[in-house]
Amino acid sequence: MSDDVSTPIPRVRRVEFASAWIVALVVPLLLLMPAFWNAYPLLQYDTGGYLARWYEGYLVPSRSTVFGLYLHFGESSYFWINLGVQALATLWILQLTLRLFGIRTPLRIVAVCLALILTTALPWLTSMLLTDIFAGLAVLSLFIVVVQGDNISRLERGLLMLFTAFAAATHSATLGVLLGLCCAALLARPLLGRRIPLGGLVRGLTALAASVAMLLAANFALSGQLAWTPGGVGVAFGRMLQDGIVARYLNDHCATQALKLCPYRAALPATADDFLWGQSMFNTLGRFQGMDDEMGFIALHALADYPAWQAEAALAATAQQLTHVATGEGTNGWIPHTYGIIERYLPGQVAAMRAARQQHWDIDFPAINRVHVPVALGSMLLLTVILGNALWRRNLDDLSLLSATVCLALIGNAAICGVISGPHDRYGARMVWLASFVVLIAANRWFDHDSPHGRRDRKSSTPSL
């Protein structure tokens, strides 16, 4: 073969290699732009509770020791190691998903990532010391493990299972969503057959079992207790209080039951947050340690006494949670608990933390949400159109399965978080960017539908789904 024919091949390979490196360097940096602009990792109201787990040696409600250990390992770098891990994990799972859907060129990968960075909460989640970035990524990793696991390498499968286990162990709601997806896959398997491989389901459930073992081991290592992370009962009680169910129960039963809250039934706070985290009678009565048994008793008996009201409140909370998708809840200049934890246990970082833009109220989330909220709501609407069109045409391909997975994840996340904790923008924002991601994948396919490149991509994507 002559030189003029053979020489372009290595040149093309060099261009592809250079492009891949550009993706690997540029995308993580863009994902961390909010943190770079802030000059310190973004903090949230709950961050301090996770940071303290290493130092305090006991379990507290809704604060995973697994995530606490993860943060502790990055303390010496002022948590930039943690942010680096989050950015690289995000890029890895995004590009792996895109690759499996036939989107392989660096330019396309950068375009999809840039669209997510500019229009969704994704870079703010990646730049924050909080479990939320792992919630959405875990949905994608579980989908790949279960549905696409036979189309990736053994090393990739193992790493994805490990990532899924870690992500599920960082927050009980994330574990609940992933477990719900596995249950839905089991129910759908008789209809979908080989599109949901039995081996994939086994791998997914194995990863979730590993997450349970991981959390129990971390709890035991830090506290000496082989116990689950506490707090679920108290959070559920708070939601019932917010809906007025607790006040009704107290009014109906205080004449016959000696409950600690009876003297306060006319002065209960209006919201769960005010009751659990504000200056309420909850503090006077001993907080979780003094109130756990009573809150559990009231929550359980209120379920039996008012089933219709509970069902109506649960449906309303789920629907409301689906529309609560604004970026930045709890990420402002007023996070006193997190400040106190850093001042107590990480005094060397106080100056850097106090100098950050966030602590000077310089982040304008209302302006950011003028873009993020319409994109999020529009993406959810388009997601339902994509899935509805596939069901109407009975064309359940790989994109339809991903759309169904994300739809179920959004509904499951809204049900778990909205019903137990009450609707909050934070819970919606951490998951809704997945809808935008699916819409971007669909847009790439539709754009290429009649082109030779698009036909080649579709042939090389997974034929077995």
Side-chain angles (χ1 to χ4, degrees):
M1 187 176 289
S2 61
D3 290 342
D4 59 341
V5 176
S6 60
T7 51
I9 297 177
R11 189 176 303 158
V12 170
R13 289 176 179 170
R14 286 198 298 272
V15 171
E16 291 178 347
F17 183 77
S19 299
W21 270 105
I22 290 173
V23 172
L25 292 174
V26 170
V27 172
L29 292 176
L30 292 176
L31 285 167
L32 295 181
M33 282 306 296
F36 291 140
W37 172 83
N38 190 51
Y40 191 78
L42 295 176
L43 303 174
Q44 205 266 355
Y45 195 90
D46 293 346
T47 303
Y50 294 104
L51 289 174
R53 299 290 41 82
W54 172 264
Y55 298 97
E56 294 180 347
Y58 57 87
L59 305 180
V60 298
S62 303
R63 300 294 177 262
S64 165
T65 54
V66 171
F67 191 71
L69 287 171
Y70 162 77
L71 291 182
H72 177 69
F73 292 143
E75 285 178 5
S76 61
S77 68
Y78 282 52
F79 303 105
W80 289 104
I81 287 177
N82 300 99
L83 297 193
V85 169
Q86 291 169 195
L88 292 174
T90 301
L91 172 61
W92 170 48
I93 292 176
L94 290 182
Q95 68 82 26
L96 180 55
T97 306
L98 293 172
R99 188 187 88 198
L100 291 167
F101 280 83
I103 302 171
R104 296 177 173 83
T105 62
L107 182 60
R108 289 290 181 92
I109 294 172
V110 169
V112 170
C113 292
L114 189 60
L116 292 173
I117 289 167
L118 292 175
T119 64
T120 75
L122 187 59
W124 298 91
L125 301 175
T126 310
S127 297
M128 192 179 303
L129 299 180
L130 200 61
T131 63
D132 291 4
I133 182 58
F134 297 108
L137 294 178
V139 172
L140 295 178
S141 66
L142 182 69
F143 174 83
I144 297 171
V145 165
V146 173
V147 178
Q148 298 267 22
D150 294 333
N151 301 306
I152 58 178
S153 70
R154 183 177 300 177
L155 176 61
E156 287 174 319
R157 280 199 305 271
L159 291 174
L160 281 173
M161 290 177 66
L162 180 62
F163 177 85
T164 304
F166 168 76
T170 63
H171 201 286
S172 295
T174 302
L175 175 60
V177 169
L178 299 183
L179 183 59
L181 290 175
C182 285
C183 291
L186 281 169
L187 294 174
R189 194 169 185 277
L191 297 175
L192 299 179
R194 64 189 179 90
R195 295 186 181 184
I196 303 179
L198 181 60
L201 273 171
V202 171
R203 288 191 293 265
L205 290 171
T206 299
L208 298 187
S211 76
V212 172
M214 191 182 298
L215 183 58
L216 290 174
N219 286 351
F220 182 77
L222 287 184
S223 71
Q225 294 179 267
L226 191 63
W228 197 254
T229 304
V233 169
V235 175
F237 174 90
R239 195 272 303 168
M240 294 182 192
L241 179 145
Q242 188 165 296
D243 290 331
I245 296 172
V246 170
R248 170 71 178 275
Y249 183 87
L250 293 174
N251 287 333
D252 289 349
H253 294 277
C254 278
T256 58
Q257 295 175 356
L259 298 171
K260 297 177 183 177
L261 280 172
C262 284
Y264 303 95
R265 66 181 184 271
L268 293 174
T271 69
D273 287 342
D274 289 338
F275 178 76
L276 295 172
W277 314 116
Q279 301 300 318
S280 74
M281 67 287 298
F282 186 59
N283 297 332
T284 306
L285 297 173
R287 297 191 60 77
F288 290 98
Q289 186 174 0
M291 287 294 295
D292 248 2
D293 290 342
E294 180 164 311
M295 289 191 297
F297 177 86
I298 293 175
L300 181 63
H301 286 79
L303 279 171
D305 285 5
Y306 318 113
W309 190 357
Q310 295 278 10
E312 182 183 349
L315 288 173
T318 301
Q320 290 173 28
Q321 182 59 71
L322 284 170
T323 63
H324 281 60
V325 293
T327 301
E329 183 184 30
T331 307
N332 50 40
W334 191 80
I335 45 175
H337 182 258
T338 296
Y339 294 159
I341 294 297
I342 292 176
E343 290 168 355
R344 185 183 311 166
Y345 298 120
L346 301 170
Q349 297 195 29
V350 170
M353 181 268 291
R354 289 291 184 184
R357 292 176 185 266
Q358 176 187 350
Q359 278 56 258
H360 293 273
W361 296 80
D362 287 345
I363 305 177
D364 189 357
F365 280 116
I368 292 168
N369 283 315
R370 283 197 282 272
V371 175
H372 286 192
V373 171
V375 168
L377 296 176
S379 295
M380 285 195 289
L381 178 61
L382 288 174
L383 182 66
T384 60
V385 171
I386 293 168
L387 182 57
N389 180 65
L391 293 173
W392 177 259
R393 295 174 177 272
R394 297 184 180 180
N395 179 29
L396 297 179
D397 59 2
D398 54 349
L399 181 60
S400 304
L401 284 177
L402 180 61
S403 300
T405 299
V406 171
C407 276
L408 288 174
L410 290 173
I411 294 170
N413 178 69
I416 292 172
C417 296
V419 171
I420 295 178
S421 300
H424 287 77
D425 282 300
R426 173 197 160 192
Y427 301 139
R430 72 183 181 188
M431 196 74 76
V432 74
W433 65 267
L434 290 171
S436 302
F437 185 49
V438 175
V439 170
L440 289 168
I441 292 174
N444 271 273
R445 286 199 167 182
W446 290 333
F447 182 79
D448 283 343
H449 188 268
D450 295 321
S451 70
H453 174 74
R455 289 194 293 271
R456 192 162 56 248
D457 276 352
R458 289 194 298 278
K459 287 180 182 179
S460 59
S461 64
T462 311
S464 61
L465 297 177

